[in-house]
Amino acid sequence: MPRLSDTMEEGVLAGWRKQVGDQVQRGEIVAEIETDKALMELEAYDDGVLEKVLVGEGETVPIGTPIALLGDGSGATAEATAPAPAAAEKPEPEPAPAVDAATDSAATPAVNGPEENGSVGTKPKASPLAKAIAREHGLELAAIAGTGPGGRIIRADIDAELAKEPQPEPQSRPQPAVEASASAPSPVADEDVEEIPLSKIRKVTAKRLTESKQQAPHFYLTSAIDVTELIEFRGNLNERLQAADGPKVSVNDLVVKACATALRANPSVNVSFAGDKLLQHKRIHLGVAVALDDGLVVPVIPDADRKSVSEIATEGREKAGRAREGKLKLDEMNGSTFSVSNLGMFGIEEFSAVINPPEAAILAVGATREEIQHRDGEFVVRKIMRVTLSADHRAVDGAVGAVFLQQLTGLLEDPIRIIA
């Protein structure tokens, strides 16, 4: 199982494109892997024949776990890695007594490779994840029938075993078995509660954002921006673009471009905190948060300051669509130096976003609302949009963030400067 993202710890083998016995060429797609961010295609590293599949479809395994064997078609690779038959039908108890090497070699057939669990044919085969869950719940692997390749015990087998009867809470030390009293009430599941397993994306989102809030001291700056001129400017721009068969530009596209322009003028915000130093990013790569049914992903628009608003609109819409289909490539979600999160389309007027590490800041954009203001001796109705900058105080000082937000406000209130 390859590491396909910087935060990936395990992957789901979503599907095999090749079957056992198929010829495989280097660079050819052999399988689909569901990572913590997207569905990725796995390319073969070498030429050969797929001799054996070690991980079935739908199975989750940690990175580094062998998932298949590639050989010359003779089957020698699969045979060399196959476990030798056990000396006895019943597995030996743990820990096994020391055995003289000569006696051991006579009693147990030789093998060319170690078992995945570290023993020589005396323990049931199980995936590392299955072993961990079994150990946590005190289950004996020898009593569980494996349904994976070659009788291997997979997570689904452990889950099925746990579903048979209520299991005790995991304990750090083994406790003596106690026979339940006949009068003791059995636990009853709450019919009003449904357990929903976390998706890969939501697991990683929860982990990364928890680490962000725990490690990065957030501070927040909010500005109320008069976007009356911006809304009118957008309407005129879209009329011109549509007349030329161009893309439709959203308010968020203009905000993204304005952020990129402000970052170019304020490079002190385009940084990352790295322990005893700051990383000053020379290029401006904007992440734009996209909400999915099972989590959040952040497609990246590289070099956003060098692109026109129409280019940002086209690229952003195309990547958001593929993000919802789970078809974004890994490099399209990595490398952002600043992010924008917009909940205005849901009517949210103001909110504070959590910084997307390793970035040092993120802008939260709210909805546009008409408000009455007093200007030049009279009351007027203006369109107001509130934005909040969340910044990592280890990397960005309050005054630096305030200057950035001040310049961003100036760009959005005088929108011709965004495209100038």
Side-chain angles (χ1 to χ4, degrees), residues 119-401:
S119 64
V120 184
T122 60
K123 297 179 182 178
K125 294 185 296 179
S127 70
L129 184 59
K131 289 180 187 178
I133 299 175
R135 189 182 308 115
E136 179 183 353
H137 292 275
L139 297 180
E140 290 291 338
L141 291 176
I144 300 174
T147 61
R152 189 166 180 252
I153 299 172
I154 60 178
R155 179 174 182 171
D157 302 323
I158 302 297
D159 292 341
E161 189 70 19
L162 291 172
K164 290 181 181 178
E165 56 182 353
Q167 296 294 323
E169 290 292 327
Q171 300 180 14
S172 58
R173 297 181 180 179
Q175 299 293 325
V178 179
E179 186 173 349
S181 169
S183 60
S186 58
V188 178
D190 189 343
E191 296 180 355
D192 295 332
V193 177
E194 177 186 3
E195 292 187 0
I196 302 176
L198 293 180
S199 65
K200 302 285 292 182
I201 292 177
R202 193 169 297 281
K203 283 182 181 179
V204 173
T205 300
K207 179 181 179 182
R208 286 172 61 82
L209 296 188
T210 298
E211 290 174 352
S212 177
K213 287 290 285 186
Q214 290 176 339
Q215 297 175 10
H218 288 51
F219 73 90
Y220 309 98
L221 302 172
T222 301
S223 286
I225 303 175
D226 186 341
V227 292
T228 307
E229 303 298 331
L230 182 74
I231 301 301
E232 183 179 352
F233 174 79
R234 172 184 175 252
N236 294 333
L237 180 61
N238 279 332
E239 286 182 7
R240 291 174 177 268
L241 289 173
Q242 289 176 2
D245 294 327
K248 186 176 182 180
V249 172
S250 68
V251 170
N252 200 60
D253 296 327
L254 292 166
V255 170
V256 169
K257 177 61 177 176
C259 284
T261 303
L263 287 170
R264 186 172 57 198
N266 294 271
S268 296
V269 182
N270 199 44
V271 297
S272 295
F273 180 79
D276 59 349
K277 57 182 175 291
L278 291 180
L279 303 180
Q280 176 74 66
H281 303 293
K282 297 181 180 180
R283 298 169 66 185
I284 298 171
H285 304 320
L286 266 290
V288 182
V290 175
L292 307 179
D293 291 338
D294 57 352
L296 183 73
V297 295
V298 185
V300 179
I301 299 177
D303 297 314
D305 59 317
R306 303 177 186 176
K307 294 178 178 175
S308 66
V309 175
S310 58
E311 288 175 326
I312 289 174
T314 300
E315 185 175 342
R317 189 168 294 108
E318 191 271 336
K319 286 184 176 178
R322 286 194 289 116
R324 295 185 180 95
E325 297 173 357
K327 294 182 179 179
L328 272 182
K329 297 179 181 178
L330 178 61
D331 59 357
E332 295 175 318
M333 294 181 282
N334 287 340
S336 56
T337 61
F338 185 93
S339 287
V340 175
S341 179
N342 192 334
L343 295 179
M345 68 286 294
F346 300 106
I348 302 302
E349 296 186 19
E350 181 182 339
F351 70 103
S352 300
V354 181
I355 298 169
N356 181 30
E359 300 165 19
I362 184 173
L363 187 76
V365 182
T368 299
R369 289 284 183 266
E370 290 188 344
E371 297 183 10
I372 298 176
Q373 295 191 352
H374 189 262
R375 295 190 177 187
D376 300 326
E378 61 180 358
F379 291 98
V380 293
V381 176
R382 307 293 291 180
K383 293 180 171 61
I384 305 298
M385 178 178 71
R386 284 174 171 77
V387 299
T388 298
L389 179 72
S390 303
D392 183 348
H393 219 322
R394 300 173 301 177
V396 178
D397 292 333
V400 172

Side-chain angles (χ1 to χ4, degrees), residues 62-121:
I63 58 173
T65 302
I67 61 174
L69 300 177
L70 200 65
D72 57 7
S74 65
T77 304
E79 291 176 5
T81 55
E89 291 293 327
K90 185 176 180 181
E92 296 179 10
E94 292 188 86
V99 182
D100 180 74
T103 307
D104 183 52
S105 62
T108 307
V111 295
N112 293 320
E115 279 281 326
E116 61 182 14
N117 53 19
S119 64
V120 184

